[in-house]
Amino acid sequence: MDLEHLRELGQQLRVDAVRAADAAGSGHPTSSMSAADLMAVLLARHLRYDFGDPAHPGNDHLIFSKGHASPLLYALFKAAGAVGDDELLTFRQQGSRLEGHPTPRLPWVDVATGSLGQGLPVGAGLALAGKRLDRLPYRTWVLCGDSELAEGSMWEAFEYAGHEGLDQLTAIVDVNRLGQRGPTRHEWDLDAYAARIRAFGWHTVEVDGHDPAAVDAAYTEARETTGRPTAVIARTVKGQGVSAVRDREGAHGKPLPDAAEAVAELGGRRDLLVDVQPPPEVRAPEHPRADLALPVYEPGDEVATRDAYGQALAALGTARGDVVALDGEVSDSTRAKFFAEEHPERFIECYIAEQQLVATATGVQARGWTPYVSTFGAFLTRAHDFLRMAAVSGAKLAVAGSHAGVAIGEDGPSQMGLEDLAMFRSVHESTVLHPCDANQTARLVSAVCDRPGISYLRTSRDAFPVLYGPDEPFAVGGSRVLRSSGEDRVTLAGAGVTVHEALIAADRLAEEGIAARVIDCYSVKPVDADTLHRAAEDTGRIVTVEDHRPEGGLGDAVLEAFADGRPVPRVVRLAVRTMPDSATAAQQLAAAGIDAEAIVAAARRLVSATG
Amino acid sequence: MDLEHLRELGQQLRVDAVRAADAAGSGHPTSSMSAADLMAVLLARHLRYDFGDPAHPGNDHLIFSKGHASPLLYALFKAAGAVGDDELLTFRQQGSRLEGHPTPRLPWVDVATGSLGQGLPVGAGLALAGKRLDRLPYRTWVLCGDSELAEGSMWEAFEYAGHEGLDQLTAIVDVNRLGQRGPTRHEWDLDAYAARIRAFGWHTVEVDGHDPAAVDAAYTEARETTGRPTAVIARTVKGQGVSAVRDREGAHGKPLPDAAEAVAELGGRRDLLVDVQPPPEVRAPEHPRADLALPVYEPGDEVATRDAYGQALAALGTARGDVVALDGEVSDSTRAKFFAEEHPERFIECYIAEQQLVATATGVQARGWTPYVSTFGAFLTRAHDFLRMAAVSGAKLAVAGSHAGVAIGEDGPSQMGLEDLAMFRSVHESTVLHPCDANQTARLVSAVCDRPGISYLRTSRDAFPVLYGPDEPFAVGGSRVLRSSGEDRVTLAGAGVTVHEALIAADRLAEEGIAARVIDCYSVKPVDADTLHRAAEDTGRIVTVEDHRPEGGLGDAVLEAFADGRPVPRVVRLAVRTMPDSATAAQQLAAAGIDAEAIVAAARRLVSATG
């Protein structure tokens, strides 16, 4: 395609973006128009992609980090022959695959974007998969906005990709000068962006984003640059091509005032079809399998669930060649180090950058790998938005948060995962597990391996007695009744450390003549409703106890089992309602009112009040 | 204090850090020892601080962004005469102010740290308060680790402070080469850090962090540099001074193996007292007050609660000189623009950088200002860890999240706040409000102004009919019963958009002969337990309906009111259990099963099943 055709293609993309937004009555045509020439050149001259076979292992990857430019992406798909004009005009209508922001409902979209600052981090993960795991020559192209360069996550990604030398990654920065509500910090100061990005070890090229020849040369330079990623920093004009909106404030995120006039000014509708270059003939790596030999622990021995996590993960890595572990520079604490020692080629150190940690995993799983992510449960809150968006992407991620709750002891509240259950429960179609036992933990590490969606495994710092034999099965959605009799008058429901406290409490209550059922609710989501229903029918009273804030955790999960209109038992909830300071683990549990003594008192009160 | 004394002071800080960690049996002495000389020079020669008057408006601010170096901070307080040796040795004991990571339980600590990558962003907020709001000459000194420079939030802060020209801010980077589990990315490549930081508009100085004269000169250079902040990038050695741990891996986060030997190697215990320079005699700015004239809305008119938020905030800004508004480059959407237009001198644009947005607010409130933070509810998840830590700091923040739920319509799930209630409810001692009405919103904007802790206000994109008169009071913890009779057989509890749907549903149910009570649960935390108890007694059945994920939001909050052992009514919960795509607001509510029709069906089923 010669330069004149490239210009025509750029105009077509603008026209189609304008038409799509006009048909929808909403959307971001002006943000699409600035990047139209950038994408025209990419599609016609550089992208290698088989739109008929989106799973082809040699396909390049294209991510719109500025996801609001979705009309441009869909116009691009039309130019590639993947989407027809009729479908283009279904943009933003109910049932259409052409959503307001791109999601993998479209087979050519790897991951959902739309929360700014996430596409480049995930793209870096894809590029890392290509370089270190797949070892395939595909390139990852990420279209970035200039506004989103204010997000720290973009700089985590620049640092990460620069350090890893991801030369198959290209960031295309659409510097159109205008954000949502006005000018960006640096407007058209391309040097400001280039200096920053270069400082992180990238190669940079500054171009006029509306000059196809210059853009073409920049992409060629990017492809020829080895040892480091390249950023093509393009000066563009928002709303380029239509005088009514060109470089105008107040024209963000809305259809053009007169679409017909705009299309006319852009030279009218075109129907160019691009013959996109095919991907190279390569084969995806095979993922060898072997029998799984999970670690086994002796009942009565004291083992920390974080140790069991690391050991089980290492074993899983031996059994399955698709398993990858990622950690945020705390693998000695999370025990992901056990995996790293055995499978260094599939261990990815992400340093203290939890957003990039989750983003890398999201990128890696888009290529068919099975990532396990670990850091302290507390620090996973740093990646909340990335987890939320990973769910929109339909990503499959296993996430382990160590150092759960006040039971970590002296380090204090900054290090305590006390909000993690609430965060992960609210993630769409997530799984939330909180084992109390080493054998149980090992089983659950394996159980989530093929589970769709985001699975969270909460582990504890300190060692506790092994309760279960190594052959006991533990499924997602289950629970374990640890004490039970026909005389049970109250149910104690715990998870993790509070199971051990509940067992002590049950013994003490028995001495007082109060028979108590104890349930290990290791599966917080989905919670084992049947077992809870039975306990409610049998005992009429439930005390929930959790090393977590009172909101969003186990207490809420237990009550959710009764939110279908059935009779609800009487409930008392014990949880961490204080702001802990430094203290030993035992002192912390007591101060928070979630130790055996507090459980005994609550159960006794509940039974006597409703006896 | 001459150089020899500075060296001695550095050794004393090391000795005391070693002793404190030894007494505690845990802590981070080696991370303290690398920065001891840096802090000795700061305390003796540059810091201006009245330890007897920590609220003095002229005081400098010192933040340990590497909060795990708390033993060094407390040793510093001892050297300043603020803490005695006996208290120093209470480090990490229950009840001690000397916690594992610093918190404002100590009067000389502005904000809690310990989640890496937060101290510099908050320090930038303090420095901004000094420059733009207080207009006082205090300096903010932030001790940063090298590991935490992997966090994107640090680069948000570098970008923010560089752009704002915060020349009263100094970052002191303790480049000790070793992270928790091994070497950092750049080890002792100081130039790598300097190039990155300089690219963001900072002045940088590279020094030997164990050479007091060089450090002294660097701080002087920082103080003399105008127009931009300075980073002092110091080459240091982890565990400096004690051969058993010096520059050794595996010595992170634990007491020294032989504290007595270490103290001997460091030259023994010292008790130097530093005569810290006093702050300049300055006065804090006065915050003028005037009568509050909230906007008023006509019942029946259609008004979006985000509009009411912005207009009420502008009015509050007129009545109170301490109110500051901050936004993440979406003030046209959140309507914080109304404040920005009326009070530009107290509006802080943070661009698309939600972590820095919350961090700036946390810094600003530490100086006695009253910040209101706004962005889309969905994007506040990006700042989850900062909100969590702000609660540990005891910070007072009002946070408004706009574009709640599926009701935003076509933009799709990336823009929908669907997890925000769960996130904010789990924040310690938070307040969570979700008004459905413009007059109610205005009242609540004012109600949280003097409320301690983190207050969250959830606002909606679209306009809805005004239900309440402008004179109706709305308090935190309250609710409004909108429909009620002696024959009510079911209670419909909603908030925000679902209140309007519940009213329609109640009308339809009435036509079917089912009297339904409708409660506007605008205060999600604390929830109005009394009103819910009465409704439960009167109707025995509650249908909760919310434009939010089923976990952690209104449904959980309503049930929490019954978690004290009392009888619990039958409950059905309607919430967003699907992954929305693009559709109109009405289509979204229907697809999610939270519109009037779904409420009618749920209420009818519940009543007939339990009739």
Side-chain angles (χ1 to χ4, degrees):
Chain A
M1 208 178 235
D2 63 21
L3 291 179
E4 188 46 45
H5 269 84
L6 289 174
R7 273 193 204 94
E8 279 295 297
L9 180 59
Q11 291 295 80
Q12 170 176 321
L13 298 176
R14 286 188 180 91
V15 165
D16 284 346
V18 168
R19 291 172 62 231
D22 189 60
S26 66
H28 298 77
T30 58
S31 304
S32 298
M33 293 155 85
S34 58
D37 299 313
L38 292 167
M39 290 300 100
V41 175
L42 183 70
L43 186 75
R45 292 243 178 127
H46 297 273
L47 193 76
R48 295 181 301 177
Y49 201 95
D50 181 349
F51 278 86
D53 183 9
H56 192 294
N59 278 343
D60 282 354
H61 297 270
L62 171 60
I63 298 178
F64 268 41
S65 195
K66 51 176 290 186
H68 55 288
S70 55
L72 173 61
L73 183 65
Y74 306 148
L76 210 59
F77 291 162
K78 179 190 148 186
V83 157
D85 198 69
D86 287 352
E87 185 172 7
L88 179 76
L89 299 182
T90 66
F91 178 51
R92 288 176 166 245
Q93 288 176 25
Q94 190 172 37
S96 171
R97 303 184 294 178
L98 309 187
E99 298 187 55
H101 296 77
T103 78
R105 281 185 190 156
L106 283 165
W108 319 286
V109 172
D110 291 300
V111 289
T113 52
S115 180
L116 290 172
Q118 300 206 16
L120 186 65
V122 173
L126 267 163
L128 187 98
K131 184 184 176 91
R132 275 198 51 194
L133 302 172
D134 286 333
R135 296 183 194 173
L136 289 174
Y138 57 75
R139 297 195 66 79
T140 302
W141 307 87
V142 182
L143 177 66
C144 306
D146 46 356
S147 284
E148 68 177 330
L149 291 186
E151 287 283 11
S153 57
M154 296 297 275
W155 300 98
E156 281 188 29
F158 282 121
E159 171 74 347
Y160 178 77
H163 185 71
E164 299 285 347
L166 302 179
D167 47 16
Q168 288 164 276
L169 175 65
T170 306
I172 305 164
V173 187
D174 177 25
V175 185
N176 67 21
R177 192 186 77 82
L178 290 173
Q180 172 174 321
R181 66 100 207 77
T184 59
R185 272 192 185 117
H186 302 294
E187 304 206 25
W188 274 322
D189 183 358
L190 269 61
D191 291 347
Y193 294 117
R196 285 161 171 75
I197 296 171
R198 218 162 35 234
F200 285 85
W202 287 52
H203 178 59
T204 59
V205 195
E206 298 176 40
V207 291
D208 172 352
H210 300 309
D211 176 348
V215 172
D216 183 46
Y219 292 163
T220 301
E221 192 173 323
R223 286 165 52 192
E224 289 171 353
T225 299
T226 56
R228 55 197 169 138
T230 297
V232 175
I233 302 163
R235 184 190 195 281
T236 63
V237 180
K238 199 162 178 173
Q240 170 77 355
V242 174
S243 47
V245 293
R246 190 178 183 281
D247 196 32
R248 292 264 179 101
E249 291 188 36
H252 178 95
K254 54 181 75 158
L256 265 52
D258 187 330
E261 190 178 285
V263 170
E265 187 177 346
L266 289 164
R269 194 180 142 183
R270 298 158 182 81
D271 284 297
L272 298 174
L273 268 182
V274 177
D275 196 12
V276 178
Q277 292 177 68
E281 274 313 314
V282 294
R283 290 176 62 146
E286 302 210 342
H287 297 146
R289 296 256 183 152
D291 286 343
L292 174 60
L294 285 176
V296 297
Y297 304 96
E298 201 59 42
D301 283 1
E302 300 217 334
V303 184
T305 51
R306 59 174 171 152
D307 282 314
Y309 169 76
Q311 288 156 0
L313 187 58
L316 193 64
T318 302
R320 293 185 49 150
D322 60 323
V323 168
V324 175
L326 307 94
D327 194 274
E329 219 271 298
V330 289
S331 56
D332 53 339
S333 288
T334 60
R335 305 306 201 223
K337 70 174 178 181
F338 296 131
F339 183 100
E341 286 159 8
E342 288 193 35
H343 312 288
E345 76 289 357
R346 281 181 279 137
F347 178 73
I348 302 173
E349 175 60 77
C350 293
Y351 295 90
I352 305 181
E354 295 78 11
Q355 296 184 102
Q356 186 59 52
L357 172 66
V358 172
T360 302
T362 302
V364 158
Q365 65 83 39
R367 280 289 310 135
W369 298 86
T370 300
Y372 280 71
V373 169
S374 52
T375 184
F376 284 31
F379 304 145
L380 286 167
T381 54
R382 191 71 70 101
H384 190 169
D385 198 26
F386 281 75
L387 293 162
R388 179 180 78 84
M389 287 300 296
V392 180
S393 292
K396 191 184 85 169
L397 298 181
V399 184
S402 69
H403 293 67
V406 301
I408 67 163
E410 287 84 354
D411 272 331
S414 64
Q415 320 291 303
M416 294 170 171
L418 285 170
E419 300 84 4
D420 52 338
L421 295 178
M423 179 175 75
F424 279 101
R425 276 184 73 240
S426 74
V427 171
H428 182 60
E429 293 190 339
S430 64
T431 299
V432 180
L433 306 170
H434 184 20
C436 67
D437 168 280
N439 285 316
Q440 185 182 50
T441 302
R443 291 276 173 165
L444 294 174
V445 168
S446 156
V448 299
C449 194
D450 287 318
R451 193 164 171 86
I454 317 289
S455 296
Y456 179 57
L457 261 155
R458 189 185 208 219
T459 68
S460 298
R461 178 177 182 275
D462 288 349
F464 290 97
V466 175
L467 300 177
Y468 304 111
D471 297 328
E472 286 196 47
F474 289 96
V476 170
S479 68
R480 266 300 177 283
V481 178
L482 283 164
R483 293 273 197 288
S484 176
S485 78
E487 281 74 51
D488 293 341
R489 295 164 69 195
V490 62
T491 298
L492 312 178
V497 62
T498 62
V499 170
H500 299 278
E501 296 296 320
L503 287 170
I504 299 168
D507 290 344
R508 293 198 196 150
L509 286 164
E511 290 167 16
E512 297 183 20
I514 300 174
R517 183 165 305 182
V518 177
I519 305 180
D520 169 8
C521 296
Y522 65 83
S523 184
V524 177
K525 180 183 174 187
V527 75
D528 184 354
D530 288 347
T531 299
L532 291 167
H533 295 163
R534 206 153 43 237
E537 285 157 22
D538 292 349
T539 72
R541 309 173 186 90
I542 300 183
V543 175
T544 65
V545 52
E546 61 193 307
D547 192 356
H548 184 271
R549 293 291 175 205
E551 301 87 4
L554 179 66
D556 281 349
V558 166
L559 274 173
E560 202 187 14
F562 298 91
D564 56 358
R566 74 179 59 230
V568 188
R570 289 177 190 249
V571 173
V572 168
R573 284 148 60 141
L574 305 181
V576 181
R577 296 172 196 275
T578 57
M579 181 56 77
D581 57 6
S582 288
T584 66
Q587 288 171 335
Q588 297 280 15
L589 294 174
I594 57 169
D595 65 349
E597 191 171 343
I599 300 170
V600 168
R604 189 194 295 131
R605 218 162 33 235
L606 184 58
V607 168
S608 69
T610 55
Chain B
M1 206 177 239
D2 63 23
L3 291 179
E4 189 45 46
H5 270 84
L6 288 174
R7 275 193 201 92
E8 279 295 298
L9 180 59
Q11 291 296 80
Q12 170 175 320
L13 297 176
R14 286 188 180 91
V15 166
D16 285 346
V18 168
R19 292 171 63 232
D22 189 61
S26 67
H28 298 76
T30 58
S31 304
S32 297
M33 294 156 83
S34 58
D37 300 313
L38 292 168
M39 290 300 100
V41 176
L42 183 70
L43 187 75
R45 293 243 177 128
H46 297 273
L47 192 76
R48 296 181 299 176
Y49 201 94
D50 183 350
F51 279 86
D53 183 9
H56 193 295
N59 278 343
D60 282 355
H61 297 270
L62 172 60
I63 298 178
F64 268 40
S65 195
K66 51 177 290 186
H68 56 288
S70 55
L72 173 62
L73 183 65
Y74 306 149
L76 210 60
F77 291 162
K78 180 190 147 185
V83 157
D85 198 68
D86 288 352
E87 185 171 7
L88 179 74
L89 299 181
T90 66
F91 177 50
R92 287 177 165 245
Q93 288 175 25
Q94 190 171 36
S96 171
R97 302 184 295 179
L98 308 187
E99 299 187 55
H101 295 78
T103 77
R105 281 186 189 152
L106 283 165
W108 319 287
V109 173
D110 291 300
V111 289
T113 51
S115 181
L116 290 173
Q118 300 206 17
L120 185 65
V122 174
L126 267 162
L128 187 98
K131 186 184 175 90
R132 274 198 53 193
L133 300 173
D134 286 333
R135 297 183 192 174
L136 289 173
Y138 57 76
R139 296 196 66 80
T140 302
W141 307 86
V142 183
L143 178 65
C144 307
D146 47 355
S147 283
E148 68 176 329
L149 291 186
E151 287 283 11
S153 57
M154 296 297 274
W155 301 98
E156 279 186 29
F158 282 121
E159 170 75 346
Y160 178 77
H163 185 71
E164 298 286 346
L166 302 180
D167 47 17
Q168 287 163 278
L169 174 66
T170 306
I172 304 165
V173 187
D174 177 24
V175 184
N176 67 18
R177 193 187 75 82
L178 291 173
Q180 172 175 319
R181 66 100 205 81
T184 58
R185 272 193 184 118
H186 302 294
E187 304 207 25
W188 274 323
D189 182 359
L190 269 62
D191 291 347
Y193 294 115
R196 284 161 172 74
I197 296 170
R198 218 162 35 233
F200 285 86
W202 287 53
H203 179 59
T204 60
V205 195
E206 298 176 41
V207 291
D208 173 354
H210 300 310
D211 176 348
V215 172
D216 184 46
Y219 292 163
T220 301
E221 192 173 321
R223 286 164 54 192
E224 289 171 352
T225 299
T226 54
R228 54 199 170 139
T230 296
V232 175
I233 302 163
R235 184 191 194 282
T236 64
V237 180
K238 199 160 176 173
Q240 168 77 352
V242 175
S243 47
V245 293
R246 188 178 185 280
D247 196 31
R248 292 265 179 98
E249 290 187 36
H252 178 94
K254 52 182 75 160
L256 266 50
D258 187 330
E261 191 179 283
V263 170
E265 187 177 345
L266 289 164
R269 194 180 142 182
R270 297 157 181 82
D271 285 297
L272 299 173
L273 267 182
V274 176
D275 196 13
V276 179
Q277 292 176 68
E281 276 310 318
V282 295
R283 293 178 60 149
E286 304 209 342
H287 296 147
R289 297 254 184 155
D291 287 343
L292 174 60
L294 285 176
V296 297
Y297 304 95
E298 201 59 43
D301 283 0
E302 300 216 335
V303 183
T305 52
R306 60 175 170 149
D307 281 315
Y309 169 75
Q311 287 156 0
L313 187 58
L316 194 65
T318 303
R320 292 185 49 151
D322 61 324
V323 168
V324 175
L326 306 93
D327 194 274
E329 219 271 298
V330 288
S331 57
D332 52 338
S333 288
T334 61
R335 307 304 202 223
K337 71 174 178 182
F338 295 132
F339 183 100
E341 286 159 7
E342 285 192 36
H343 313 288
E345 76 290 356
R346 281 182 277 137
F347 177 74
I348 303 174
E349 176 60 76
C350 293
Y351 295 90
I352 303 180
E354 295 79 10
Q355 298 183 101
Q356 185 59 53
L357 172 67
V358 171
T360 302
T362 302
V364 157
Q365 64 83 39
R367 281 290 311 133
W369 297 87
T370 301
Y372 280 71
V373 169
S374 52
T375 183
F376 283 31
F379 305 145
L380 287 165
T381 55
R382 192 70 71 101
H384 190 169
D385 198 27
F386 281 76
L387 293 161
R388 179 181 77 86
M389 288 298 297
V392 180
S393 292
K396 191 185 87 169
L397 299 181
V399 184
S402 68
H403 294 68
V406 300
I408 66 164
E410 288 82 355
D411 271 331
S414 63
Q415 321 291 304
M416 292 171 172
L418 284 169
E419 301 83 5
D420 52 336
L421 295 177
M423 178 175 77
F424 278 101
R425 276 184 73 238
S426 74
V427 171
H428 182 59
E429 293 189 340
S430 63
T431 300
V432 179
L433 306 169
H434 184 20
C436 67
D437 167 280
N439 286 315
Q440 185 183 47
T441 302
R443 290 277 173 164
L444 294 174
V445 167
S446 157
V448 299
C449 193
D450 287 318
R451 193 163 172 86
I454 317 288
S455 296
Y456 179 57
L457 261 155
R458 189 186 210 219
T459 67
S460 299
R461 178 176 182 275
D462 287 350
F464 290 97
V466 175
L467 300 176
Y468 304 113
D471 297 328
E472 286 197 50
F474 291 95
V476 170
S479 68
R480 266 300 177 285
V481 178
L482 283 164
R483 294 271 196 288
S484 177
S485 78
E487 281 74 49
D488 294 340
R489 296 164 67 195
V490 62
T491 298
L492 312 178
V497 62
T498 62
V499 170
H500 298 278
E501 296 296 320
L503 287 170
I504 300 168
D507 290 343
R508 292 197 198 152
L509 287 164
E511 291 166 15
E512 299 183 17
I514 300 174
R517 185 166 302 182
V518 177
I519 306 180
D520 169 8
C521 295
Y522 65 83
S523 184
V524 177
K525 180 182 174 187
V527 74
D528 183 354
D530 289 346
T531 299
L532 290 168
H533 295 164
R534 206 153 42 238
E537 286 157 22
D538 292 350
T539 72
R541 308 173 187 91
I542 301 184
V543 175
T544 65
V545 51
E546 61 193 306
D547 193 355
H548 185 270
R549 292 291 175 205
E551 301 87 4
L554 179 67
D556 281 349
V558 165
L559 274 172
E560 202 186 15
F562 298 91
D564 56 357
R566 75 178 59 229
V568 188
R570 290 178 190 247
V571 172
V572 168
R573 284 148 59 142
L574 305 181
V576 181
R577 296 172 196 274
T578 56
M579 181 58 77
D581 57 5
S582 288
T584 65
Q587 288 170 335
Q588 297 280 14
L589 294 174
I594 57 170
D595 65 349
E597 191 172 343
I599 300 170
V600 168
R604 189 194 295 131
R605 215 161 35 233
L606 184 60
V607 168
S608 67
T610 56

